[in-house]
Amino acid sequence: MIVSDELHPRLCSVFTQALTGAGQVLTAMVGRPIVLGDPEIGVRLYTEVPFLCGGPEVPVVAIYLAIGGEIKGHVVFFFDQIGAGYLLEAMLGAAADYPYDSLARSALEEVGNVVGSSVLNCLSDATGMAVMPSPPLLTMDMAGAILGTIAADLAADSDQVLVIETCIAPAGTHQVQGYLLVLPDRASWDRIARELARRN
């Protein structure tokens, strides 16, 4: 996976629009401001992914979406367990105890669904390629157990993954560092890059 100097600003524009839209949707859902900061985009080795949240032993929450349609692949949105607690406080209006009940799990899945779907929809609009995200699937474990396995399994035709870093800022609580892995297959990525360059 290569993000050229020409492609990087176009991706930044697409993902900034996506995160702004996701913040607006989450704000409307909970009735209080939730802002997602401008994205930092980079390409990482999949072996580096568990260290984004502090190391393989750090507990994390990850929400996974499969991508169908003209773009094939996967999206994973994750943050550490402490950040998940802050998000749940913002979403539910009260602290949630771990292990999370069905209501808390559903709220976290919805955060991942909103962010992941917004990114995919904006990517679809920018490239003209139809996408169909799956329902979200939530998992919780140590970063090494979840993220190393996910990145290795899903990045089957590459040892690199596209990582979007953003800061989620719910009103009245702490900021949460979130990470979005975008994992299109090689054919999809090549077409995304061509379409973004052609339409720029």
Side-chain angles (χ1 to χ4, degrees):
M1 178 177 289
I2 298 174
V3 177
S4 66
D5 291 342
E6 293 78 14
L7 183 58
H8 188 273
R10 185 62 175 134
L11 286 174
C12 284
S13 175
V14 171
F15 294 143
T16 297
Q17 180 184 358
L19 295 179
T20 299
Q24 293 169 348
V25 172
L26 292 172
T27 294
M29 285 174 56
V30 304
R32 69 183 72 179
I34 297 181
V35 177
L36 277 72
D38 289 343
E40 294 185 16
I41 299 170
V43 176
R44 302 290 189 97
L45 294 171
Y46 69 76
T47 53
E48 297 175 333
V49 171
F51 293 90
L52 292 173
C53 278
E57 303 302 318
V58 174
V60 299
V61 173
I63 302 96
Y64 162 84
L65 291 82
I67 313 170
E70 292 183 90
I71 298 176
K72 302 291 194 300
H74 317 269
V75 167
V76 183
F77 187 52
F78 68 94
F79 29 81
D80 64 29
Q81 188 175 305
I82 294 173
Y86 295 145
L87 283 176
L88 285 172
E89 187 174 349
M91 296 287 289
L92 304 178
D97 294 328
Y98 186 87
Y100 302 131
D101 61 17
S102 60
L103 178 62
R105 291 176 66 92
S106 178
L108 291 172
E109 285 181 335
E110 193 56 30
V111 171
N113 185 47
V114 167
V115 174
S117 295
S118 184
V119 164
L120 293 175
N121 288 336
C122 285
L123 199 56
S124 174
D125 290 343
T127 61
M129 300 169 67
V131 296
M132 294 181 293
S134 73
L137 176 65
L138 181 141
T139 184
M140 298 177 285
D141 206 332
M142 300 300 180
I146 295 178
L147 301 175
T149 301
I150 286 176
D153 288 349
L154 301 188
D157 56 0
S158 174
D159 61 354
Q160 296 178 320
V161 296
L162 181 64
V163 179
I164 304 166
E165 301 182 35
T166 185
C167 185
I168 310 168
T173 186
H174 298 76
Q175 295 184 350
V176 178
Q177 194 69 26
Y179 304 88
L180 189 74
L181 308 182
V182 181
L183 299 153
D185 64 22
R186 183 168 306 213
S188 296
W189 175 250
D190 289 346
R191 186 176 170 193
I192 288 168
R194 287 197 305 270
E195 290 297 332
L196 288 177
R198 187 175 69 85
R199 292 165 180 260
N200 191 9

